[in-house]
Structures are given as structure tokens and as C-alpha cells.
Amino acid sequence: MRIALLLLAWLLSLGASAAPNDVATLDRSTWPEQLTSPTLFDVASRAEILMFARGLLDVDAMDEIALKQYLGLRTVNMAAIDALRARLWQRLLTNYNFAQRSCDQDASFCYLVEDMATLREEARRFHLDDNSYYIKWAAPSQIFHTQYRDELLRKAALFPQTSSEIARFGDYERNGEDMNDRLFLLTFDSAANVVPDNTSWLTDYLRKANMNGTFFVLGKDIQARLEERSANSLQMLYAGQCVGVQGWEFRSHSHWQDWQDSVRRSVELVKGKLPENYVPLFRPPQGQRRGDAEGFFRQQGLQVALWDIDPQDSGNRLKPEQSAQRVLTLMLLWRHGVINFNAKQDGVKTAVPWLMAQTAQSGIGWADCQEAFR
């Protein structure tokens, strides 16, 4: 009984700062420096990596019983959770090694990390004194990484019964994990809604900035637009951008009997009307797709396009500024990846320019949409 009570107290202490299902966001004004150079990007990146690693340690040894209780779930997929934890640790080590290359220019958050064991040890000892220049960031960052860690754990616990972007079913599925350091790809879901839709604003903004992104559309929305305007006007809308598909309707493609027809019809329409913009990518709505679909996608010449950095900008869960700040924090943590804004949310018109301004001098790059998944 005493052991059980101690375990429960420990679990409650871990969750005290973050209620279940909270969406992680971090007020970037708590960080005292602007990202005005690649070196300062690395300083902030090292800090976020160490803070997340510290939080990951707290759940690293949790077994199935403890995770069920902590996550509030009746069942958990321990194989998926173990795979996630191993993958996260490897990414943290790789990213910290990239981030510490500038330690000779600024030694903040630089420690002797040579392998996984030393990364774990430095994460275990990571602590900021009350007089630290970065102390205002420390507590909010710890809360952020606890919430974000729990988001990932919960998705892994439910995978693959509830499929999501948390894991890939095969190498025909792509996310941003294989991208080069400091390289990011902008993508936009629901990018052809008749109302509401911010595609016109976004494509114009990106062209003026000499940038591009991948816009994932529904077949029925493209069809509706073509009933109102010409194919030429649609081509002008997406000029210089890439267009992939999300299926014919925005619904789960994991248990939908007609999911293959949904994908095929959308591809046929988009490829026919936007031949210069079309890219052979399918983004499953909400990340939900079947685990036995490899043969179909290879036959169709398609890749499944997932993501690593979720702004959580749907359903008004976060304000635009919060969503943008979440993205920037995850960019610092993962150092490369695929961002998936929602084009029908008005907040994207605030979040994207803010993100561009914050990273303009940070030394990051934006991937060309035609090359990103090749």
C-alpha cells in the first residue's frame, strides 16, 4: 500500500503543472534574447533540447501500469511508446550535437555531451539558478515540455488503433525527420475551402517573400471552385506553390470504405487541373489512415505526407500568437521538420508573418516544396 501511495504521489507531482490534454504553448517573451544570428538560434535550441530531455527522463522508466494511470487510458500500446521514447532520445542527441557546434562562439547551455549516456546525465542535472539570465524562461519551458511530451505519449499509446502522425507505417510515409539541420517545410491543410479560406492571402504572401509551400486540398473543394471560376484562375492562385491532396472529403481515411476512391478522384482532378503545381503527396486528414495501404500508395505513385511540427491552430484551441510561439519552440527543439498550418483558420495570417519575422536572421532555411519529399 505504501509503495502504491508513493507511486500515485509521484505521478500527481509530474502532472501538477499540466492538466491532461492541455495543448502545449510557450510565451517566447520569457526567452531574453532575439534569434538574430545562427549562434543565438543554437543557444535557444540547446536550452529547449535539455529541458525536453529532462522531462523525458521523468517518464522513461514508466511501465505499462504507470503509463495507464498517468495518461488516464485503459490500454496503452507499449511497443509504440517504447519506439517513440527511443526515437525521441536519438533525435535529441543528434540535435544537441548540431546545436553545440557554435559553443565556441557562445557557451550558454554547452555541456560535454558525447553520447546518449552523457546526454541523459546532463539532462538529469539540468537546472537554472534563481539569478540566471534565463530564469524567467525556465518554469514556463518546463510546463511546455511536460505538456508536449504528454501529447506525444498519448498519441503513441493509442497508435495504431487511432492512427496519427506520431509514427510511420513504412518508408512510403514521410515526415521531416530526414531533412537537413535548420531546414523546414511549410505546409497548409484544408487549402481550398470556398469559405472560409486564406489560400489567396497565403500564396500572395509567400510569392512576395520568394517562398513556397505545399497546400493540401480536398477534391470536392477544388471541384466547387471550378464551378465558380476557370481552371486558369485556379492555376494563378497556386502559381509557384505545390498542391497535394487530402482526399475527396475531410474525414478519417482509416475506416472509410471508399478511402481509395477518395484519394484517386482527388489526384485525378488536381493533377489534371493543376499539372504545374501537383505533387504526388497525400496528407491524411488528422493523420488518420490505414496501416495496410502501402501497396495502394505505391501503385498510385503517392507518398503519405505527415508532419513533425503541429501549430494546433484548429478548433480555436490556441490564439494565433500562441500557435506561432508553439511552432517556434518546436523548431528550436527539433531543428528541422514539416509544419502544418491550417489554411482556413484566420490566425494563420498572424502566425506565419510573426514566425518569418522571428526567424529572419536565425540561419534557418525553408525547403522548396518541389524537392522536400523527393
Side-chain angles (χ1 to χ4, degrees), residues 311-360:
Q312 291 282 355
D313 56 349
S314 299
N316 298 315
R317 299 192 73 181
L318 297 179
K319 296 178 181 178
E321 296 82 2
Q322 293 176 315
S323 181
Q325 291 177 109
R326 173 188 167 97
V327 170
L328 181 53
T329 304
L330 294 180
M331 290 171 69
L332 292 164
L333 175 63
W334 298 130
R335 295 185 63 88
H336 56 267
V338 177
I339 306 169
N340 72 328
F341 283 108
N342 193 308
K344 70 179 181 180
Q345 301 294 327
D346 286 340
V348 75
K349 294 190 288 187
T350 298
V352 171
W354 184 91
L355 193 61
M356 296 301 141
Q358 294 294 316
T359 58

Side-chain angles (χ1 to χ4, degrees), residues 260-281:
Q260 293 186 357
D261 183 61
S262 165
V263 175
R264 276 194 294 258
R265 290 172 65 198
S266 303
V267 167
E268 181 180 357
L269 181 60
V270 173
K271 192 174 183 179
K273 300 301 181 181
L274 295 165
E276 298 296 320
N277 310 94
Y278 171 75
V279 287
L281 299 174

Side-chain angles (χ1 to χ4, degrees), residues 120 202 252 309 351:
R120 288 173 180 268
L202 284 166
S252 171
I309 300 175

Side-chain angles (χ1 to χ4, degrees), residues 11-24 52 55-60 62 66-67 69-73 76 81 84 88 142-158 166 312 326:
L11 291 170
L12 291 174
S13 68
L14 285 177
S17 59
N21 300 312
D22 276 354
V23 177
F52 183 80
L56 191 56
L57 276 176
D58 290 338
V59 297
D60 220 27
M62 279 192 182
L67 282 165
Q69 187 171 4
Y70 179 60
L71 296 174
L73 298 173
V76 296
I81 288 177
L84 172 69
L88 291 176
Q142 184 176 10
I143 293 172
F144 172 89
H145 288 296
T146 298
Q147 294 173 331
Y148 178 61
R149 176 202 67 198
D150 293 351
E151 289 178 27
L152 300 181
L153 285 174
R154 191 169 285 107
K155 287 181 178 180
L158 298 173
I166 197 65
Q312 291 282 355
R326 173 188 167 97

